[in-house]
Amino acid sequence: MSDIITVVAPVNIAVIKYWGKRDAKLNIPLNDSVSGTLDAKVMCAKTSVCVRPDFEEDRLWLNGENVSIYKENFQKCLNKIRILAKEQKSRDEKFLTWKVHICSENNFPTAAGLASSAAGFACLVTALSKLYGVQTDVSALARLGSGSACRSVYGGFVRWHAGSNPDGSDSIAKQVVDSSYWPEMKVLILVVADNKKSTSSTKGMIITAKTSELIDHRCRVTVPSRVEKMCEAIKRKDFPTFAELTMKDSNEFHAVCLSSYPPCVYLTDVSNKIIEIIHRYNEMRGSPKVAYTFDAGPNACLYLLEEEVPKVISLIKYFFPSSSETFIKGLPCPDLKEEFTNELQISPMGKDLIKYVIYTQVGDGPFELNDKNHLLNENGYPKTLV
Amino acid sequence: MSDIITVVAPVNIAVIKYWGKRDAKLNIPLNDSVSGTLDAKVMCAKTSVCVRPDFEEDRLWLNGENVSIYKENFQKCLNKIRILAKEQKSRDEKFLTWKVHICSENNFPTAAGLASSAAGFACLVTALSKLYGVQTDVSALARLGSGSACRSVYGGFVRWHAGSNPDGSDSIAKQVVDSSYWPEMKVLILVVADNKKSTSSTKGMIITAKTSELIDHRCRVTVPSRVEKMCEAIKRKDFPTFAELTMKDSNEFHAVCLSSYPPCVYLTDVSNKIIEIIHRYNEMRGSPKVAYTFDAGPNACLYLLEEEVPKVISLIKYFFPSSSETFIKGLPCPDLKEEFTNELQISPMGKDLIKYVIYTQVGDGPFELNDKNHLLNENGYPKTLV
C-alpha cells in the first residue's frame, strides 16, 4: 500500500434541492434531495492524503494555499475517520497517532460558485477512508463535512435520504441509477458574470429554517411527493417530467429563500432572463426540452438530452452574445449546424453577461488515481504551492 | 342636481397583498388584504360622468383616448349600477334608458406601473353611484371593476374582507382607521427605471392559483394571522410590527409568484438592492424604521414615519444617484439637513436606476369635486382630447 493516496471526485447539481437542516452539527437535512453527479473529467476536486511518523501536525492545503485544518467541518470528518479506524482496528495503533497531510485542488474556479465543497469533501473522505482502511458508508462521512457532498460519493443520479435517526445514521445517499443508465443526459452550466456577494448557503439555510413560513410546507408536503416522482421519472427516462419537476423545485427553493426574513435572494436579472428564455423555448417546442436549476447563486445549470445540445448552445449564444473565444468549455462543442433564429420575441441581452458555459454530462463517482499523479511529494508536502 | 358629476379617487398600496381569486368573474379574492390609501392630492384618478337623452351610446375616454366601454370590467360596473338604480327606483325610468359618457384621467403616468386601475375604478363607481343615486356598498361595486379598487373607496388604512358568500356580497372593504389616526405615516414610492414587460397581475394571479404549491398555505395559514396582527399594529400605531409584517408579506407574495409555473418574477436587481439596503439600514438603526413593499412590478413603496423622511431621502439619493432635477416629486421635500454617511458597507449604484421618487402620505377616500372642473364639457364630451 502506498504512503500517499489520491482521489478524484465529481461535483453534483441537485434537481430536488437541499435547503435547511434538522441538525446543524450533523448536517442532517430537513428533506430528501436528488442530484445528478457530473463528469469528473470535466469538473472535479482532487485530493491527496498522506500519513507519516515525522509529520508534526495535521495540515491542509486548499487550492495551493495552506489553510487551517481546525475548521469544524474538517475536524468532524477527520475525527470520525480516526474513531472508526480505531474501532475497526483497520490500522495499527501507531499509525493512528501519526499526523496527516491533506492537499486538495479543484480544476474549476471556486469563485464561479459551483458548489466546490461537495466535490471537495466527497474527495477528502473517500481518500481518508482508503488511507485509514475503514469500512463505512462514505456518504455519511462526506455529509459531516458538507451536506450535499454526500451525494458526490456516487455517480449517476443520487438520492440523499434525510433519514429520521437522531444520530444521522440513516441520513445517507443512495444511487438511483448509475451514469450509464441515461447516457443521453447532458448538462450546460451557464456561469453568470456577477460580483454580488450573496448570503452563504450555510447562513441562508439557518435564516430560512428560522424565519420562512413556507419552508415547513415545502419539506412536509411538496418535496416528499416530488422526490418520488423524480426518481420514477429518472428510472423511466421521462425527460419532460424530469424537466418540469426540476424547474418547479428550483423555483420553489428560491421562493422559500425569498420568504425568509431578511430574504435570501440568489437569482439576478440574468438568471431570471435565462428562466424566461427556457420557458419560452420549451413552449415553442411543445414540451420541455431543457430544464434549468439554480443553486444558491446566479449560475444556471441546464439539464438536457444530447440531441438538444447544439440547438441550445446556439440559443445561448444568440441571447447572451460573448466576446470570449473559449465561451464553451468542457466536452467538445458539437457542430452548431443551424444558427438560432429568434422565434421567441425576446431581444438578445448585452454582451458578456454570461462569462462562459461548461458543457458536461452525468458521470461517475469518486475514483482513486493510480498514476502517481499525487498533489503531495514523497515527503508529504505539496508539489506546487501558489 | 348637476348633469355632470366629477369625482377624485386615491390609489392604495397594500401592506398585506391580494393575490389570487376565489371567483374570477366576481373578483372575489383568496385572502383578506390590508392597504394604506394614499393622498389624492399627490396621486389620483379623476372621473367625470354624464347622462343625457341625446347620447347615442355609452362612451368612455381614458387619459384622453377614446377606448371601448365594452370591456368586461367596465360593463360589470355599469350594469350593476343600472340594475341597482332600477331596483331602488332612484332615478325615473327615462333616465335609465339614456346613455352615459365617462371621461377619466390619472394625474400620474400609468406606465409607472402604479396600480392606476384601483384609483380608476374606485373613482368610476363612486361617480356613477352618485349620478344614478344608488345606495349600496361602493367597495363591492369597485371590486367588480378591479379587485384592489375596493380598498380605494375609503381613506386611511383599509381591510378588504375576502368574505365567504358565493355571490361576493360580503367581499367588501372596511376602514381600519381613518387618515387622521396616524398622521405621521408617510410614503415614498421609488419608481424604478425598467422597460421589462412582466406578466400582468390578472394573468399572474391565474397562473399562481393554478400552479403554485405554496399559495394555499399562504391563504389558509400565514395571511389570516398576519392580517389580524397588522390591523392591531395599525390601531396601536406600532411601527416596528407594522413594518416587519409589511416586509414579510411583500416577500411572501413574491415568493408565491416565484413558485408558480412558469414563475412570475416582478422584482429586479434594483428592487432587490432596495430590499438589501432597507434591511441593512433598519439593522443599523436597531429596529425597523422603514418598510418596503412591492406590487406586481419593480417599484418599491416605502412606508415610514415623518421623522425618518429626510434621512431616508438622503439615503436613497446616496445609493441611487440621479441626474434629475425633479427627483423628489409629490409633497414638498423636507430640508435634508445631514447628508447620508455610508455605514452600511454597500456601494452606491449606477446613475438613474431610480427614475424618481414620489413623496406622499396616507390620505382620504374619494370625494366629489364641486368646482365645475369637470373633464366633460356641457355637451358631455371631453374638454381635452390628446
Side-chain angles (χ1 to χ4, degrees):
Chain A
M1 197 204 55
S2 154
D3 257 327
I4 302 175
I5 285 186
T6 298
V7 166
V8 165
V11 302
N12 72 78
I13 301 280
V15 291
I16 303 290
K17 301 295 187 194
Y18 153 50
W19 197 253
K21 303 179 188 194
R22 173 159 65 79
D23 185 312
K25 229 181 158 74
L26 295 170
N27 278 344
I28 307 175
L30 287 171
N31 58 270
D32 286 22
S33 53
V34 177
S35 56
T37 294
L38 303 190
D39 192 344
K41 289 190 286 299
V42 177
M43 291 162 75
C44 68
K46 180 177 175 181
T47 303
S48 295
V49 291
C50 176
V51 161
R52 281 170 64 127
D54 59 333
F55 288 167
E56 289 179 1
E57 49 173 356
D58 293 332
R59 291 189 72 177
L60 171 66
W61 291 266
L62 274 188
N63 294 311
E65 263 188 284
N66 185 4
V67 298
S68 168
I69 200 169
Y70 296 101
K71 279 192 180 163
E72 210 187 340
N73 41 2
F74 286 102
Q75 286 298 309
K76 278 192 276 188
C77 294
L78 198 50
N79 291 340
K80 184 75 181 173
I81 296 255
R82 284 175 166 152
I83 289 167
L84 287 171
K86 203 168 173 181
E87 283 173 3
Q88 298 175 6
K89 299 193 200 310
S90 59
R91 294 284 179 265
D92 62 44
E93 282 197 19
K94 232 169 32 194
F95 186 97
L96 293 181
T97 63
W98 296 344
K99 302 299 183 185
V100 66
H101 280 191
I102 301 168
C103 186
S104 187
E105 280 179 7
N106 299 316
N107 75 337
F108 54 93
T110 50
L114 294 168
S116 51
S117 64
F121 277 102
C123 211
L124 175 71
V125 300
T126 306
L128 286 176
S129 58
K130 283 176 193 284
L131 184 68
Y132 283 87
V134 298
Q135 300 295 321
T136 187
D137 187 300
V138 185
S139 81
L141 281 180
R143 194 200 72 227
L144 292 176
S146 172
S148 58
C150 76
R151 295 185 313 237
S152 270
V153 307
Y154 300 111
F157 282 97
V158 179
R159 174 174 177 173
W160 176 10
H161 296 260
S164 55
N165 297 348
D167 65 353
S169 54
D170 58 349
S171 185
I172 55 175
K174 291 180 183 171
Q175 193 174 59
V176 179
V177 299
D178 71 20
S179 69
S180 66
Y181 187 84
W182 202 353
E184 302 83 5
M185 186 64 93
K186 305 293 168 185
V187 170
L188 294 169
I189 298 172
L190 281 50
V191 179
V192 169
D194 184 61
N195 37 27
K196 172 175 162 274
K197 268 186 300 173
S198 37
T199 318
S200 77
S201 52
T202 306
K203 201 177 154 197
M205 284 190 203
I206 294 170
I207 298 173
T208 304
K210 217 195 273 180
T211 64
S212 167
E213 303 198 49
L214 303 177
I215 179 114
D216 178 61
H217 186 77
R218 166 168 167 80
C219 295
R220 262 189 325 104
V221 182
T222 65
V223 167
S225 108
R226 204 179 281 138
V227 164
E228 298 303 333
K229 286 179 198 157
M230 178 59 87
C231 291
E232 283 161 28
I234 291 168
K235 287 176 191 156
R236 275 199 321 270
K237 302 191 200 177
D238 172 355
F239 188 83
T241 304
F242 168 87
E244 189 174 319
L245 293 169
T246 297
M247 294 187 275
K248 282 186 172 172
D249 196 71
S250 175
N251 294 335
E252 190 182 274
F253 152 53
H254 288 281
V256 162
C257 288
L258 180 52
S259 77
S260 309
Y261 188 79
C264 301
V265 177
Y266 297 109
L267 303 175
T268 65
D269 287 352
V270 174
S271 315
N272 286 318
K273 188 53 73 175
I274 295 167
I275 291 175
E276 188 189 351
I277 289 167
I278 301 292
H279 277 285
R280 294 283 280 281
Y281 178 73
N282 285 338
E283 216 173 90
M284 184 188 84
R285 297 291 306 277
S287 86
K289 297 291 182 190
V290 194
Y292 58 77
T293 183
F294 294 82
D295 282 347
N299 299 329
C301 175
L302 310 184
Y303 278 92
L304 71 176
L305 297 180
E306 189 162 19
E307 57 185 11
E308 284 295 318
V309 171
K311 291 180 204 114
V312 173
I313 289 181
S314 298
L315 172 145
I316 296 166
K317 286 185 152 187
Y318 177 85
F319 284 113
F320 296 98
S322 166
S323 53
S324 165
E325 281 173 23
T326 54
F327 188 55
I328 310 294
K329 301 176 190 288
L331 299 176
C333 183
D335 189 16
L336 307 179
K337 285 151 209 148
E338 355 164 28
E339 253 186 55
F340 178 77
T341 53
N342 190 3
E343 302 165 61
L344 306 188
Q345 294 172 298
I346 300 176
S347 312
M349 306 293 113
K351 267 219 158 171
D352 295 322
L353 294 174
I354 291 179
K355 270 196 290 196
Y356 55 87
V357 174
I358 303 170
Y359 174 31
T360 182
Q361 60 193 346
V362 174
D364 294 324
F367 55 91
E368 188 176 346
L369 273 192
N370 294 315
D371 57 3
K372 305 278 176 203
N373 247 325
H374 304 303
L375 298 173
L376 295 169
N377 64 26
E378 56 220 14
N379 299 320
Y381 283 83
K383 288 180 178 170
T384 52
L385 275 180
V386 178
Chain B
M1 198 202 53
S2 155
D3 258 327
I4 303 176
I5 283 184
T6 299
V7 166
V8 165
V11 302
N12 71 78
I13 302 279
V15 290
I16 304 290
K17 301 294 190 194
Y18 152 51
W19 197 254
K21 303 181 189 194
R22 173 160 65 81
D23 184 312
K25 227 183 159 76
L26 295 170
N27 278 344
I28 306 176
L30 288 171
N31 60 270
D32 285 23
S33 52
V34 178
S35 57
T37 295
L38 303 190
D39 192 345
K41 289 188 287 299
V42 177
M43 292 163 75
C44 68
K46 180 177 174 181
T47 304
S48 294
V49 291
C50 175
V51 161
R52 282 168 64 128
D54 59 335
F55 287 167
E56 289 179 1
E57 50 173 357
D58 293 332
R59 291 190 70 179
L60 170 66
W61 291 265
L62 275 188
N63 295 313
E65 264 188 284
N66 186 2
V67 298
S68 168
I69 201 169
Y70 295 101
K71 280 193 179 160
E72 210 187 341
N73 43 1
F74 286 102
Q75 287 298 307
K76 279 192 274 188
C77 293
L78 197 51
N79 291 341
K80 184 74 182 177
I81 295 254
R82 282 172 166 153
I83 289 167
L84 288 171
K86 203 168 174 182
E87 283 172 5
Q88 296 175 6
K89 299 190 199 314
S90 58
R91 294 283 179 267
D92 62 43
E93 284 197 17
K94 230 169 36 195
F95 186 96
L96 295 180
T97 63
W98 296 345
K99 302 299 182 185
V100 65
H101 279 190
I102 301 167
C103 186
S104 187
E105 280 179 7
N106 299 316
N107 74 337
F108 54 95
T110 50
L114 294 166
S116 52
S117 64
F121 277 102
C123 210
L124 175 71
V125 298
T126 306
L128 287 176
S129 58
K130 283 176 193 284
L131 183 70
Y132 283 89
V134 298
Q135 299 295 320
T136 188
D137 187 301
V138 184
S139 81
L141 281 180
R143 193 199 74 228
L144 292 176
S146 171
S148 58
C150 75
R151 296 185 311 236
S152 270
V153 307
Y154 300 111
F157 282 96
V158 179
R159 174 173 177 173
W160 176 10
H161 297 259
S164 56
N165 296 347
D167 65 353
S169 55
D170 58 349
S171 185
I172 56 174
K174 289 180 184 172
Q175 193 174 59
V176 180
V177 298
D178 71 21
S179 68
S180 65
Y181 187 83
W182 202 353
E184 301 83 6
M185 188 64 94
K186 304 293 167 186
V187 170
L188 294 169
I189 298 171
L190 280 50
V191 179
V192 170
D194 183 66
N195 37 26
K196 171 174 162 274
K197 268 187 301 172
S198 38
T199 319
S200 77
S201 52
T202 306
K203 202 176 154 197
M205 283 190 205
I206 294 170
I207 297 172
T208 304
K210 218 195 272 179
T211 65
S212 167
E213 303 198 50
L214 302 178
I215 179 117
D216 178 60
H217 186 76
R218 167 170 167 79
C219 295
R220 261 188 326 103
V221 181
T222 66
V223 166
S225 108
R226 203 179 281 138
V227 164
E228 298 303 334
K229 286 180 198 155
M230 178 59 89
C231 291
E232 283 161 29
I234 291 167
K235 285 177 191 155
R236 276 200 318 272
K237 302 190 199 178
D238 172 354
F239 188 82
T241 304
F242 168 86
E244 189 174 318
L245 293 168
T246 297
M247 293 187 276
K248 283 185 170 171
D249 196 73
S250 175
N251 293 336
E252 189 181 275
F253 151 54
H254 288 282
V256 162
C257 288
L258 180 52
S259 75
S260 309
Y261 189 80
C264 301
V265 177
Y266 298 110
L267 303 176
T268 65
D269 287 351
V270 174
S271 314
N272 286 321
K273 188 52 78 174
I274 295 167
I275 290 175
E276 188 190 351
I277 290 167
I278 301 291
H279 277 286
R280 295 283 281 278
Y281 178 74
N282 285 338
E283 217 173 87
M284 184 189 82
R285 296 292 307 277
S287 86
K289 298 292 181 187
V290 194
Y292 58 77
T293 184
F294 293 81
D295 281 347
N299 299 328
C301 176
L302 309 183
Y303 278 92
L304 72 175
L305 297 180
E306 188 162 20
E307 55 186 11
E308 285 294 318
V309 171
K311 291 180 204 113
V312 174
I313 289 181
S314 298
L315 173 144
I316 296 165
K317 286 185 151 184
Y318 177 85
F319 284 111
F320 297 97
S322 167
S323 52
S324 165
E325 282 175 22
T326 55
F327 187 56
I328 310 292
K329 302 175 189 288
L331 298 177
C333 183
D335 189 14
L336 307 178
K337 286 152 210 145
E338 355 165 27
E339 254 186 56
F340 178 75
T341 53
N342 188 4
E343 303 165 60
L344 305 188
Q345 294 171 297
I346 301 176
S347 313
M349 306 292 114
K351 267 218 158 173
D352 296 322
L353 294 173
I354 291 179
K355 269 196 290 195
Y356 54 87
V357 174
I358 304 171
Y359 175 31
T360 182
Q361 60 194 345
V362 174
D364 294 322
F367 55 92
E368 188 174 346
L369 272 192
N370 293 314
D371 59 2
K372 306 279 177 203
N373 248 326
H374 304 304
L375 298 173
L376 297 168
N377 63 25
E378 58 221 14
N379 299 320
Y381 283 84
K383 288 178 178 171
T384 52
L385 275 180
V386 178

